[in-house]
Amino acid sequence: MSKLPKPKDLASSINYTPPREHWMDIKPEFRPGTYSYPAKPQLVEKMGFPNPHEWSPTDEDWHLPENWQEIVYNTFRDRLEKYRSLKVFMDICVRCGACADKCHYFIGSGDPKNMPVLRAELLRSIYRKDFTTFGKILGRFGGARKLTEDVIKEWFYYFYQCTECRRCSLFCPYGIDTAEITMMGREILHELGISINWVMEPIYNCFHVGNHIGIPPHTFKDIVDFMCDDIEEITGIRIEVPLNKKGAEVLFVTPSGDYFADPGTYTFMGYLMLFHEIGLDYTMSTYAAEGGNFGLFNSFEAMKRLNAKIYAEAKRLGVKWILGGECGHMWRVIHQYMDTMNGPADFLEVPRSPITGTVFHNAKSTKMVHICEFTADLIKHGAIKLDPSRNDDLIVTHHDSCNPSRAMGLLEEPRYILKHVCNHFYEMPEQTIREQTFCCGSGAGLNNDEFMEMRMRGGLPRANAVKYVHDKYGVNTLTCICAIDRAALPTLMDYWVPGVRVAGIHELVANALVMKGEKERETNLRGEPLPGKEG
Amino acid sequence: MSAVYSLIIVLALVLVAVVGAGGGGLHALFGVVIPYVAFVVFLAGFIYRVINWAKSPVPFRIPTTAGQQESLKWIKQNKLDNPSTTWGVIGRMVLEILFFRSLFRNTKMQLKVNGGPSLSYGSSKFLWVGAIVFHYCFFIILLRHGRFFTDPVPGCIEWLDKLDSILQIGVPNIYITEFLIVGALLYLFLRRVCDSKLRYISLPADYFPLFLIMAIVITGILMRYFIRTDIVAAKDLIMGLVTLHPKVPETLGTIFYVHVFLVSILMAYFPWSKLMHAGGIFLSPTRNLANNNRMKRHINPWNYPVKLHTYEEWEDEFRDVLKEAGIPVEKE
Ligand code: SF4
Ligand code: SF4
């Protein structure tokens, strides 16, 4: 791993003046800290994915398959025929530049190829050459260029420097979504056997074991038991967590990040406490133990293969509907892809809260409800008792995760919950929240250690907005509804805004939750003394 | 460099018309044949492009949501920026197409580094204003030209003409749109060359339409205020084209043919260029779809079965540890 520059040095290295040379003449420099390690060929092979082979980004020769040009051409053509989005987006960009300074990676790196428009041109230039007459004739003059191995290297570099956050698409007058282009770029690379291990290993684990981390079922149970011990210590209440229970009403699915590491584990404990308190008849599955879906960051096929487990398991267990935990890209997949890919879910019922009787009409086809929708409804109906003063030591701001914001619109639900579980809440500046939210800088499979410098660069806009409310209101807690955020933001905060902790919404919910028969609580879920109970 | 090349091409095109129609006197070619061909290319090309786009399916419903979703009854949905119904989508598209809604959101990022980095995002409406002025002026000017294409001229065009020339300064009346469009074009050009980021991403194909349209506007202005043109003859020629009985009046000067030639080039160029954003915006899947994903199943016509790791296969692998951990299994 590379040495991470100091925040000050990193900030002063950002230069927005483009180089003198034409971008087509500049090759990417595979500097440690700015690229992710390649997928292990054994894993690619075990998944049955095309062209597994050894290669390294820093090598001259990437050992591409012999007919790589043909593969690129055919894949590209195939995707153009399959996705209107790609075809239209290839054709209609006017290079107005409205998207240019909207990308967190451009803001944090100044690299012109991180402007969404230029990221798209990396692919578009080949499109022009191979699929348009003008491009064929005019060449570079018409914005076209020949496909070479250097182009492949450049694609790899920059399509794995995009978190598919869609902030650019919000500002584009035609809705051109560079995330969509990145996804197609990654699909093409995938066909050549080029992908990153931080995406491939979770895919493999999720497919074979049941979750990204590769936690086998018995270990999963151990972890849950362990958390129940903690909960008992804090609340005096022993919680049972049903696993693979047939005939439960609800299947609960959450990203594995929630039960793998702090601070996600506190959020997970929060879910368990809430379900216990309301007496929800639910089960978790150790087969479909993953809400997240790293397949999304590799190819349509990988995404579908992983996602299929959720409906399959819901069917096997005979549940009525599915509840999903706090996660960003998981909800992109569930909201925008699941029903289409693996539906129809006609074996399930329209979700109805057994506590409040609320029918979730907005999920009547997919039959999957977001936990923030579920909890907000509970609070609205007064179905749970809350003591927000238990969170009085927290001065809170909320990070909207990219996908629930720009691929769903889940904006008010988490805020409504927050306003009932804590007393000090402040918004970050308007241009950095809700639909305009900035990415954590580590999404789309880029949350790996070797990519740290770019993560800190890409996370700068988010961190800087946190710093603003940290300085102004003393904010010390950043809430989020995403497992990748919970893994990535603590590092980002330590780097740019030390003194701010990261928490899931349901951690705060559980802190405030007054449970029937609980003992007087002395500590919060993290084992720290509650306000007023110090010393 | 891109800008210079494009300028040279446009100047060359002007020269072609000057030499051809002026010196060579090829009035029939420049006044009849080329406009006809250009119009056919425009129409056929436009339709071809749209059909070609439409031939590719929309496998997933992927709207970019820009506001609160429809969820619980008591949470107010943002029905225009995050529509969940067809009417909502129509509303969103109207805002996009008529008022450039997304561009209106534009901000300008600024980074100050002294004493720790500090980012700010100011609202930046210049591009929006420039784009609105340009497109609306272009549209009004196009409509105004309707008086050359109709006989009798419909009232609404007369009315538009009057409105556009409401500032009666001198004779002939001055059209407001002519000045505004020149200003907007200049702005769009200058921001491209002055902003280093934009200059870096700009292709010749980005400058070319600007220069071409500028040349069209200039020749138009010249004809109206400086080089007297026989308007009756112009209308004669155009009506001839419209009624498919082309005739070539003798009294039209070179400038008229230059104007018509440049317009012809624009028409013929349109379908094969980025100008097709005019058609593409209607087909953009991040804008023209309702965010009712979990309410209504979207069908992917090419959805295909994939290799799965079934529960049975999985249980076979983990049965022992499952049983040991007391987790229920299907097969004992
Ligand atoms: S905002 Fe859209 S049209 Fe403008 S440069 Fe970016 S992608 Fe192209
Ligand atoms: S999707 Fe996000 S990361 Fe990718 S280009 Fe757009 S703004 Fe940048």
Side-chain angles (χ1 to χ4, degrees):
Chain A
M1 225 194 346
S2 63
K3 225 175 118 11
L4 188 62
K6 293 219 160 46
K8 202 164 58 41
D9 298 335
L10 193 149
S12 48
S13 76
I14 303 171
N15 175 6
Y16 296 123
T17 315
R20 295 190 66 86
E21 302 103 296
H22 193 278
W23 63 264
M24 287 186 192
D25 296 327
I26 301 175
K27 292 185 197 177
E29 185 197 337
F30 286 92
R31 198 162 48 78
T34 65
Y35 65 90
S36 306
Y37 296 156
K40 296 197 183 93
Q42 312 86 281
L43 298 180
V44 178
E45 181 146 20
K46 281 189 192 154
M47 285 303 296
F49 288 151
N51 290 309
H53 68 282
E54 287 284 352
W55 64 281
S56 163
T58 47
D59 283 353
E60 187 53 38
D61 185 356
W62 282 20
H63 307 290
L64 298 177
E66 214 164 293
N67 60 337
W68 66 271
Q69 272 146 318
E70 193 188 322
I71 296 175
V72 171
Y73 179 83
N74 289 338
T75 313
F76 206 155
R77 198 188 47 199
D78 178 71
R79 298 309 186 269
L80 286 166
E81 282 163 11
K82 278 183 172 164
Y83 291 86
R84 186 182 301 165
S85 52
L86 180 63
K87 222 187 223 178
V88 172
F89 295 164
M90 283 295 108
D91 285 332
I92 64 172
C93 173
V94 299
R95 282 158 301 282
C96 69
C99 58
D101 61 355
K102 307 304 182 284
C103 176
H104 50 284
Y105 280 125
F106 174 70
I107 297 176
S109 74
D111 184 339
K113 287 181 194 169
N114 272 327
M115 293 191 265
V117 44
L118 213 47
R119 197 187 309 284
E121 289 285 309
L122 302 180
L123 202 61
R124 206 175 269 128
S125 52
I126 301 302
Y127 166 79
R128 291 196 187 99
K129 182 84 186 170
D130 285 353
F131 299 98
T132 71
T133 320
F134 263 119
K136 266 190 207 104
I137 301 168
L138 295 176
R140 184 186 282 206
F141 188 71
R145 62 171 171 171
K146 224 173 98 103
L147 180 65
T148 63
E149 284 191 48
D150 282 332
V151 171
I152 300 296
K153 293 177 182 175
E154 190 185 43
W155 283 358
F156 173 76
Y157 192 74
Y158 290 102
F159 292 144
Y160 283 96
Q161 278 192 12
C162 163
T163 48
E164 304 180 355
C165 77
R166 310 178 96 207
R167 192 167 193 268
C168 46
S169 97
L170 179 74
F171 291 91
C172 173
Y174 319 117
I176 294 178
D177 182 5
T178 306
E180 191 78 356
I181 288 165
T182 293
M183 285 160 79
M184 298 302 151
R186 289 187 182 189
E187 289 228 357
I188 298 175
L189 293 170
H190 164 85
E191 292 297 317
L192 298 174
I194 304 285
S195 55
I196 67 172
N197 207 53
W198 192 260
V199 168
M200 194 53 71
E201 201 161 312
I203 289 178
Y204 173 80
N205 285 336
C206 186
F207 192 66
H208 286 279
V209 184
N211 55 67
H212 287 157
I213 323 278
I215 298 171
H218 51 300
T219 316
F220 179 80
K221 180 155 192 306
D222 287 346
I223 294 175
V224 171
D225 286 345
F226 197 74
M227 288 193 201
C228 291
D229 293 345
D230 279 357
I231 293 172
E232 187 170 7
E233 211 176 298
I234 297 164
T235 63
I237 295 173
R238 184 71 203 179
I239 286 177
E240 290 303 322
V241 180
L243 297 179
N244 299 4
K245 179 179 138 192
K246 283 200 175 177
E249 182 169 356
V250 176
L251 170 65
F252 178 62
V253 181
T254 202
S256 54
D258 281 353
Y259 50 85
F260 174 65
D262 299 349
T265 44
Y266 306 121
T267 308
F268 191 80
M269 285 158 71
Y271 306 143
L272 302 184
M273 288 161 67
L274 177 71
F275 298 158
H276 174 87
E277 175 59 20
I278 59 174
L280 186 70
D281 176 19
Y282 77 107
T283 181
M284 290 194 69
S285 161
T286 53
Y287 164 70
E290 180 61 68
N293 190 326
F294 271 42
L296 172 70
F297 310 141
N298 175 265
S299 62
F300 160 75
E301 189 156 327
M303 164 169 63
K304 179 168 171 170
R305 284 170 71 175
L306 302 189
N307 175 262
K309 290 179 159 197
I310 297 180
Y311 276 153
E313 188 67 343
K315 195 167 187 175
R316 184 184 75 86
L317 295 173
V319 301
K320 290 192 180 146
W321 56 277
I322 311 170
L323 183 62
E326 297 180 10
C327 184
H329 76 277
M330 157 180 169
W331 275 96
R332 170 112 209 252
V333 176
I334 286 164
H335 188 72
Q336 296 198 327
Y337 294 97
M338 177 158 83
D339 202 0
T340 301
M341 285 189 300
N342 291 315
D346 42 17
F347 51 91
L348 295 172
E349 292 173 15
V350 175
R352 178 179 164 278
S353 170
I355 320 305
T356 64
T358 300
V359 177
F360 294 92
H361 289 290
N362 65 327
K364 64 175 178 250
S365 174
T366 302
K367 277 112 174 167
M368 188 147 172
V369 174
H370 193 290
I371 185 133
C372 285
E373 297 167 338
F374 182 74
T375 304
D377 173 66
L378 289 175
I379 295 175
K380 180 78 181 175
H381 284 83
I384 49 177
K385 206 169 152 212
L386 296 165
D387 175 5
S389 72
R390 286 185 191 165
N391 285 318
D392 270 354
D393 54 335
L394 308 183
I395 305 172
V396 181
T397 193
H398 180 65
H399 162 67
D400 291 277
S401 311
C402 307
N403 288 295
S405 309
R406 286 185 285 265
M408 196 173 170
L410 187 94
L411 307 174
E412 288 305 333
E413 295 86 343
R415 285 177 170 77
Y416 180 80
I417 298 173
L418 277 174
K419 279 171 193 153
H420 287 84
V421 299
C422 69
N423 288 320
H424 309 290
F425 176 73
Y426 299 95
E427 291 279 14
M428 287 179 273
E430 189 190 348
Q431 300 86 353
T432 68
I433 54 167
R434 297 177 187 265
E435 72 276 5
Q436 299 197 36
T437 187
F438 272 110
C439 184
C440 61
S442 303
L446 306 181
N447 191 18
N448 57 63
D449 285 345
E450 68 263 23
F451 194 60
M452 194 56 85
E453 182 184 327
M454 275 316 282
R455 283 173 52 192
M456 295 304 108
R457 288 182 181 278
L460 172 63
R462 168 42 71 226
N464 210 249
V466 176
K467 185 160 191 322
Y468 179 81
V469 285
H470 174 70
D471 293 349
K472 195 162 173 189
Y473 308 109
V475 162
N476 60 14
T477 304
L478 176 62
T479 58
C480 58
I481 46 168
C482 171
I484 293 183
D485 284 336
R486 284 189 284 274
L489 289 174
T491 323
L492 187 74
M493 290 301 111
D494 287 347
Y495 187 78
W496 290 114
V497 208
V500 176
R501 69 165 59 178
V502 177
I505 297 262
H506 280 78
E507 177 185 343
L508 270 62
V509 170
N511 274 337
L513 185 68
V514 181
M515 298 171 76
K516 289 181 276 295
E518 70 178 8
K519 65 174 195 191
E520 173 146 359
R521 287 200 211 176
E522 301 291 330
T523 68
N524 62 20
L525 294 194
R526 301 190 183 201
E528 303 157 344
L530 287 175
K533 305 269 177 176
E534 304 93 345
Chain B
M1 260 347 251
S2 301
V4 177
Y5 288 139
S6 301
L7 184 63
I8 291 173
I9 295 177
V10 172
L11 290 177
L13 288 170
V14 173
L15 201 69
V16 166
V18 170
V19 172
L26 303 169
H27 292 175
L29 179 66
F30 282 85
V32 177
V33 179
I34 292 178
Y36 267 148
V37 171
F39 184 70
V40 170
V41 170
F42 170 75
L43 210 63
F46 198 100
I47 294 170
Y48 165 80
R49 292 305 298 273
V50 172
I51 289 178
N52 186 270
W53 284 330
K55 271 209 317 235
S56 292
V58 180
F60 301 105
R61 199 189 278 134
I62 53 162
T64 303
T65 57
Q68 173 60 37
Q69 66 167 353
E70 173 180 354
S71 71
L72 298 159
K73 273 205 292 294
W74 46 272
I75 292 180
K76 193 165 173 287
Q77 180 197 358
N78 184 335
K79 291 196 170 152
L80 284 172
D81 288 324
N82 189 350
S84 53
T85 60
T86 307
W87 280 111
V89 170
I90 291 172
R92 186 180 198 186
M93 291 306 285
V94 165
L95 283 186
E96 281 300 354
I97 288 159
L98 298 186
F99 302 105
F100 302 2
R101 168 77 182 98
S102 292
L103 204 54
F104 192 70
R105 258 187 215 111
N106 198 24
T107 55
K108 191 171 157 48
M109 174 268 309
Q110 248 188 333
L111 172 67
K112 288 202 196 84
V113 188
N114 31 357
S118 148
L119 283 160
S120 59
Y121 314 90
S123 147
S124 169
K125 304 268 186 276
F126 289 114
L127 178 56
W128 180 83
V129 172
I132 283 277
V133 169
F134 167 74
H135 284 87
Y136 273 95
C137 287
F138 191 94
F139 184 62
I140 292 171
I141 292 172
L142 202 71
L143 283 185
R144 257 202 295 102
H145 277 68
R147 69 197 167 101
F148 293 108
F149 291 81
T150 46
D151 202 15
V153 178
C156 56
I157 293 181
E158 303 256 27
W159 181 79
L160 190 70
D161 203 281
K162 281 226 177 61
L163 201 71
D164 197 0
S165 52
I166 203 153
L167 296 178
Q168 298 191 2
I169 316 169
V171 182
N173 292 337
I174 284 176
Y175 287 127
I176 305 166
T177 47
E178 268 163 359
F179 287 86
L180 287 178
I181 201 170
V182 170
L185 281 166
L186 272 178
Y187 166 73
L188 292 174
F189 167 69
L190 286 177
R191 74 182 278 279
R192 242 182 226 292
V193 287
C194 295
D195 181 331
S196 62
K197 293 197 296 293
L198 271 169
R199 199 167 58 231
Y200 199 62
I201 59 173
S202 293
L203 298 170
D206 297 317
Y207 294 105
F208 177 69
L210 282 178
F211 290 139
L212 185 61
I213 295 171
M214 190 60 128
I216 292 171
V217 173
I218 291 174
T219 48
I221 292 178
L222 283 179
M223 262 191 291
R224 187 165 162 83
Y225 305 106
F226 302 102
I227 308 173
R228 292 302 297 166
T229 305
D230 186 345
I231 296 197
V232 180
K235 179 149 187 175
D236 251 13
L237 185 143
I238 294 169
M239 285 310 292
L241 293 176
V242 173
T243 54
L244 300 179
H245 290 97
K247 51 186 164 205
V248 185
E250 291 304 311
T251 50
L252 284 165
T254 310
I255 184 83
F256 173 81
Y257 291 103
V258 175
H259 188 70
V260 169
F261 180 63
L262 294 177
V263 172
S264 303
I265 296 290
L266 182 65
M267 285 197 291
Y269 175 73
F270 197 102
W272 322 106
S273 71
K274 69 167 193 174
L275 303 178
M276 274 309 284
H277 65 265
I281 185 166
F282 290 91
L283 279 85
S284 179
T286 60
R287 292 289 185 273
N288 70 6
L289 292 167
N291 177 31
N292 56 358
N293 289 58
R294 280 185 290 154
M295 298 173 218
K296 198 165 172 278
R297 182 162 185 250
H298 181 85
I299 304 294
N300 172 2
W302 51 259
N303 197 18
Y304 59 90
V306 294
K307 187 174 172 305
L308 303 176
H309 192 60
T310 62
Y311 176 81
E312 289 69 29
E313 288 169 284
W314 179 84
E315 190 185 293
D316 284 345
E317 203 168 315
F318 289 105
R319 185 164 301 112
D320 294 342
V321 291
L322 285 168
K323 278 169 38 186
E324 206 169 307
I327 301 171
V329 288
E330 293 276 341
K331 270 197 263 169
E332 283 300 326

